[in-house]
Amino acid sequence: MPPRLTTTPSGIALGPLDQIADGAARGFVIEMKAGRFHGFVVRSGDRVTGYLDRCPHMAAPLAQRLDDYLTDDGTLIRCAWHGALFGRDDGACVGGPCTGQTLSPWPVRVDNGQIVTA
C-alpha cells in the first residue's frame, strides 16, 4: 500500500466549485508518485476550506461514509469514529476527545470557479 501523504503541491485542479453543494463537504484522494493524499473541502458560499482527512485524536479518517464530514445540521465537522467536533472555518476541536487540538489545514482556493490546491 502506498504511503499516506500529508501535503500536496499547489496548482492541482480538484474540479468546479459547484461539485460541492453550498454548506457541504467533499473528500478527495490524490494519487502522486510518492503516495496518496486524503483530504476534504468544506464549502461556504464562494469560499472553500480544506483539511487533511485525519482526526488528531486517533489519526483515523473522519468519515465512515463517502463525503459524510459534517454534523446533521452542517454547522460542524464531525469525526464519525469518536464523536469529536471541529469548527468549519478553523478546524479547532470544540468537543469530544481531542479538546485543544485542531485538524491539519490543507491549503485550497477557488480560482475562476475551480477549486485548486494552494
Side-chain angles (χ1 to χ4, degrees), residues 23-24 42-44 69-78 86 88:
V42 180
R43 179 179 174 188
S44 298
Y69 294 98
L70 304 178
T71 55
D72 291 341
D73 65 3
T75 60
L76 296 168
I77 298 166
R78 170 191 63 222
F86 305 88
R88 288 172 51 115

Side-chain angles (χ1 to χ4, degrees), residues 11 27 37 43 45-46 61 68 71 73 77 89 91 100 110:
F37 175 85
R43 179 179 174 188
D46 291 335
D68 188 25
T71 55
D73 65 3
I77 298 166
D89 295 330
V110 177

Side-chain angles (χ1 to χ4, degrees):
M1 180 166 224
R4 195 154 199 174
L5 305 175
T6 58
T7 61
T8 59
S10 63
I12 296 174
L14 302 175
L17 177 62
D18 64 6
Q19 73 182 333
I20 305 172
D22 190 11
R26 180 171 181 199
F28 292 89
V29 177
I30 301 171
E31 293 272 349
M32 294 182 277
K33 274 188 177 178
R36 271 190 201 127
F37 175 85
H38 295 253
F40 67 99
V41 173
V42 180
R43 179 179 174 188
S44 298
D46 291 335
R47 202 176 99 242
V48 292
T49 308
Y51 297 102
L52 187 64
D53 189 1
R54 185 172 60 195
C55 182
H57 170 238
M58 294 289 287
L62 290 158
Q64 289 185 26
R65 293 184 317 229
L66 184 64
D67 300 334
D68 188 25
Y69 294 98
L70 304 178
T71 55
D72 291 341
D73 65 3
T75 60
L76 296 168
I77 298 166
R78 170 191 63 222
C79 175
W81 300 100
H82 303 104
L85 299 171
F86 305 88
R88 288 172 51 115
D89 295 330
D90 61 5
C93 182
V94 297
C98 60
T99 302
Q101 297 178 303
T102 61
L103 296 174
S104 297
W106 176 31
V108 293
R109 62 182 162 72
V110 177
D111 186 11
N112 292 320
Q114 297 291 313
I115 303 168
V116 296
T117 59

